[in-house]
Amino acid sequence: MKKVGMILGLFIAVIALFVFINKLYYPSLPIDDISAKEAIDILKESDSKIAEIAVEGDSIWYITSSENKGISIADENIKQMIGSNGWEFKEKDGAGLFFEKDGKRLIATTQMWTGNYVLVKIPSNFK
């Protein structure tokens, strides 16, 4: 009986380790071609605070940290990245950040993915 309990305990430990290493406990992404582990690894390996994780049609998906310290860090990271391409931030309404440049309007849509990460979908013509 001890052997069965020991084997079962070892099996459960291996499964738990697999889930932890592959970050299977994170919710699924709205992007088909990338896993949660890959998205987080891309951000961690990036030199910037926001990282591109996928191109889907005419949109680019980014991931950024969402640590809150008064003002949302995620929003500031998005404003800084888009602003560096000449877009001027106008307003935030719900999950959308609105920018303008040369009479054109750009909407960056944010989605809280976990308590630590925010996903951002931006039209690819912002660059």
Side-chain angles (χ1 to χ4, degrees):
M1 198 65 171
K2 279 187 170 183
K3 285 185 180 183
V4 173
M6 195 176 208
I7 291 171
L8 185 59
L10 183 61
F11 180 72
I12 291 171
V14 168
I15 297 282
L17 185 63
F18 177 79
V19 167
F20 181 76
I21 288 173
N22 290 300
K23 306 217 183 293
L24 297 178
Y25 51 91
Y26 280 109
S28 61
L29 289 165
I31 309 155
D32 294 330
D33 299 337
I34 190 166
S35 70
K37 181 181 182 334
E38 292 170 322
I40 292 168
D41 288 345
I42 289 170
L43 180 60
K44 287 182 179 177
E45 293 170 4
S46 173
D47 293 335
S48 65
K49 298 174 186 174
I50 188 167
E52 181 179 321
I53 55 173
V55 176
E56 192 176 67
D58 61 348
S59 298
I60 303 173
W61 284 93
Y62 292 87
I63 187 170
T64 186
S65 177
S66 64
E67 299 170 17
N68 287 324
K69 296 178 183 172
I71 299 172
S72 175
I73 299 292
D75 288 353
E76 291 305 314
N77 293 343
I78 297 162
K79 290 176 193 176
Q80 183 179 10
M81 181 188 69
I82 295 175
S84 69
N85 287 293
W87 292 90
E88 182 182 347
F89 175 73
K90 290 298 181 182
E91 67 178 317
K92 179 177 180 172
D93 187 14
L97 289 110
F98 296 82
F99 297 85
E100 287 185 3
K101 174 181 168 183
D102 301 329
K104 296 179 185 175
R105 192 166 194 164
L106 175 87
I107 303 170
T109 308
T110 61
Q111 177 181 344
M112 192 71 163
W113 179 49
T114 70
N116 297 323
Y117 301 102
V118 173
L119 300 175
V120 187
K121 187 176 182 182
I122 305 172
S124 58
N125 65 350
F126 87 95
K127 291 185 178 181

